[in-house]
Amino acid sequence: MPRPESTGAAPHRSSIDLFSDAVLADPYPHYRKLRETSSAVYLTKCDAWALTQYADVRRALSDWRVFSSTDGIALSRVTNAATDKSPLAVDPPAHRHPRRVLQGHLSPMSVHDQAIGIQRRAKELVAHLAKQERFDAMRDLAAPFALSTLADHMGLPADSRDFLIDWADAAFDIMGPDNERTRIARAHLGKLGVYLLNTTIVERLSTTGAGRAIYAAGTRGDITPEACTQLVAISLLASIPTTTASIGNAVSLFARHPDQWECLRRDPRLVENAVEEILRLESPIQWFSRVLRERCDIGDVSVPAGARVLLLFGAANRDPNTWGDPDTFDITRTNPVDHLAFGHGLHSCMGQGLARAEIAAVLTALVAHVERWHVREARRKLNNVIRGLDSLPVTINASVDPGRLAPPRRPDVDTAADVTNWQVAGAVRLAKLRRHIELPSGATFSGSVDIVNGAMTGSFDLLPLAIEMRILGIGVRIASELIPTGSFDGDAIVTPDGKIKLSATSRAVMHIRSIAIDRLQIPLKCRTATPIEMPLEASGMMRLDFRPEFLGIMAIPRFTGNGPIAWLATMLVSGSGNAFHITLELPGQPTGDRHQVGAHGPRQPRP
């Protein structure tokens, strides 16, 4: 590996061993020391550069062309050689096909469909444990819940699950440097690997699980048949230990911060915010690595091409430049969703929606049954990548009124409003095109807008959308399809007089079906869809009623995505001064003439 060099400053080195037992037990003081040393610090113990600041880690995750995964994401050369060509260790175009196969089973809409079953499973398990009043939050709650949920999701047979937790832990341990822990895990994993391959063959998987669907994709030719078993294995190993760790971290944090538990019990609608704060403060995956394809300036340090860079998620998520009091557990924090616990960009965790749903389901069930926590001696599980506990014995004071939740708030006052399956009507006037784009009738929106704490998150389902315009006097019509995997998250600030300011990012998968230029019709037969990410800033007025209305101006800085679709969308749509008038209509509620919006949207708003 190229040795450290710098421009204008002496190279910053550190002899901190991030993978020693002492540091793994409590890494945060060491992260702080590295962060205060420099933007990039060369770690002599593992021959890699450490990035600890939020902005730098997020930038690296966003730029796969410079910070590449193709040389592996582990610190062990042996591990990187063994995982060569796996979905975790490839960049586009090879990365796209396996990710698209997984996307259909882990999309927001797919997770939404599974939510009822996940919540029922959590309620049953928590109700059983609450009657005992003493249990191990790791062995009796977190591990069995995560294991059963993920194994059922993949369709794994019931007689082949017990080994999965140890196998998944070992799969993360082998990603560390070539130390004793890594070598022990590699030997352990080799024995379990044969069993895993035999367990996840298509004949043993349930016909209704995601695992069988992955093999069907191989039969269709969407991915190679050899990649099918690998995808099933990766889905299990990436999900089980991270979800297990996060549920255990949640119990531990609330037990050590009873004021936050009381806050959640008073208002259970803070569950989603609490999930994000837990993930931020105790990131289940502490790091992944990349290799630089070209020299890169990071702060005052020039890191050479070919260098391996350690992206410390656990450190970035406690960067004081991004969060006030970053080491404080605060479930009312306004921006915890900005964390990097699930990565960011192209290689962000595909299963993060399912993980969030599981953690939220467990917390919701616990709120209904647990009044107070008492923790006995906890034991940490030391792993090269995963931060979690091995054992967390607890005693609880069971709620005298299990199942009782806080009363709902009225929507016309400061509120955290859950919004589910609302119809969307309205229009956006694109300043760049001087055109009026109507939202398709029948579009739906599900999610939540927390007006007290300023958070918004959810998913949307838009039907096919047609755009007509004239460019240099030539009529152009584009027929596109927005596949129902759209999602968004961001911040919402609403003042008492109804002024609203939104900052959000929406994500979707789309492809253009046809382009007509005057009389020339060009059909586009796309086998695959294109991921699109669109940030936006909006301000205007909001009125809460049976049909909340939003009226204002938004800026779309730039689409990001792959191929000509993203390029075309950027050319046509991005810009500022885009007027919007959107109504969310709750089906079944009466609507007066004052709020009526036609099937083709309202009258054109003024730009």
Side-chain angles (χ1 to χ4, degrees), residues 279-596:
L279 292 168
R280 181 197 71 82
L281 195 65
E282 291 281 13
S283 303
I285 295 178
Q286 289 284 291
W287 63 272
F288 279 146
S289 78
R290 301 287 192 268
V291 171
L292 284 178
R293 285 286 168 261
E294 60 187 53
R295 184 182 66 82
C296 185
D297 292 332
I298 302 172
D300 63 347
V301 178
S302 179
V303 182
R308 184 164 290 278
V309 179
L310 197 62
L311 309 180
L312 294 174
F313 305 155
N317 285 338
R318 294 194 180 207
D319 186 347
N321 293 319
T322 303
W323 288 280
D325 297 322
D327 297 324
T328 299
F329 180 47
D330 179 8
I331 66 171
T332 66
R333 191 181 297 273
T334 58
N335 65 333
V337 75
D338 292 338
H339 65 75
L340 302 174
F342 291 122
H344 177 71
L346 184 74
H347 286 281
S348 61
C349 175
M350 284 293 297
Q352 58 183 283
L354 188 60
R356 284 183 166 99
E358 292 179 71
I359 304 166
V362 170
L363 283 180
T364 300
L366 289 170
V367 162
H369 286 278
V370 178
E371 186 174 301
R372 190 171 297 278
W373 297 96
H374 306 278
V375 176
R376 288 171 278 165
E377 186 175 357
R379 183 170 65 251
R380 185 157 297 282
K381 178 182 288 187
L382 300 184
N383 186 283
N384 282 332
V385 179
I386 300 294
R387 180 159 175 81
L389 296 166
D390 182 53
S391 176
L392 183 61
V394 298
T395 303
I396 66 168
N397 289 7
S399 174
V400 296
D401 190 8
R404 183 176 181 179
L405 301 180
R409 297 173 175 176
R410 294 178 55 191
D412 56 349
V413 297
D414 289 345
T415 183
D418 288 328
V419 184
T420 305
N421 292 333
W422 288 39
Q423 299 294 313
V424 180
V428 177
R429 186 180 190 278
L430 298 176
K432 199 167 188 178
L433 297 176
R434 300 184 183 276
R435 286 291 303 174
H436 200 69
I437 306 300
E438 298 167 355
L439 298 174
S441 60
T444 61
F445 166 98
S446 62
S448 64
V449 179
D450 184 339
I451 297 174
V452 173
N453 296 305
M456 53 188 288
T457 183
S459 61
F460 51 82
D461 183 356
L462 297 180
L463 301 180
L465 178 67
I467 301 174
E468 295 184 10
M469 66 196 79
R470 296 192 71 80
I471 301 177
L472 300 177
I474 301 173
V476 178
R477 184 177 189 276
I478 301 174
S480 65
E481 181 176 353
L482 196 57
I483 311 300
T485 56
S487 64
F488 68 90
D489 57 67
D491 299 321
I493 300 175
V494 181
T495 61
D497 59 356
K499 292 182 180 178
I500 183 169
K501 183 177 181 181
L502 305 177
S503 177
T505 298
S506 63
R507 304 168 185 86
V509 179
M510 67 180 296
H511 67 261
I512 297 175
R513 302 296 296 272
S514 65
I515 298 177
I517 302 176
D518 281 345
R519 296 183 180 181
L520 176 62
Q521 182 78 18
I522 307 173
L524 299 177
K525 297 180 180 179
C526 300
R527 287 190 60 200
T528 57
T530 298
I532 294 289
E533 183 170 296
M534 183 185 73
L536 62 88
E537 302 286 339
S539 61
M541 296 294 294
M542 184 187 75
R543 180 169 61 241
L544 284 176
D545 207 321
F546 287 121
R547 293 167 41 160
E549 286 188 334
F550 302 82
L551 176 65
I553 301 292
M554 69 177 169
I556 305 171
R558 187 176 181 85
F559 276 91
T560 58
N562 301 315
I565 298 172
W567 175 82
L568 184 63
T570 297
M571 181 182 70
L572 296 179
V573 177
S574 64
S576 59
N578 302 300
F580 68 90
H581 184 184
I582 298 172
T583 300
L584 302 180
E585 179 180 347
L586 183 62
Q589 294 288 356
T591 56
D593 294 338
R594 182 170 62 92
H595 297 296
Q596 188 64 39

Side-chain angles (χ1 to χ4, degrees), residues 239-282:
S239 302
I240 291 174
T242 51
T243 305
T244 299
S246 295
I247 293 173
N249 291 337
V251 173
S252 177
L253 284 168
F254 277 119
R256 290 186 283 116
H257 299 86
D259 60 317
Q260 295 298 297
W261 185 245
E262 285 299 318
C263 180
L264 186 62
R265 292 188 71 235
R266 286 194 301 270
D267 188 355
R269 282 159 301 188
L270 286 172
V271 160
E272 290 184 1
N273 216 58
V275 170
E276 305 304 331
E277 176 69 349
I278 292 161
L279 292 168
R280 181 197 71 82
L281 195 65
E282 291 281 13

Side-chain angles (χ1 to χ4, degrees), residues 79-145:
T79 300
N80 285 330
T83 56
D84 184 41
K85 307 304 182 186
S86 80
L88 296 176
V90 293
D91 290 325
H95 176 265
R96 294 170 184 158
H97 299 295
R99 189 171 180 89
R100 286 169 183 164
V101 168
L102 291 178
Q103 194 166 32
H105 313 290
L106 295 169
S107 68
M109 296 303 290
S110 176
V111 172
H112 182 268
D113 293 340
Q114 300 176 63
I116 294 178
I118 293 172
Q119 293 162 5
R120 181 174 60 249
R121 188 192 303 266
K123 289 177 181 178
E124 292 172 353
L125 178 56
V126 168
H128 169 72
L129 294 175
K131 292 178 182 178
Q132 301 178 18
E133 296 192 344
R134 285 192 175 198
F135 56 90
D136 191 306
M138 297 306 301
R139 300 180 183 180
D140 300 325
L141 174 62
F145 179 78

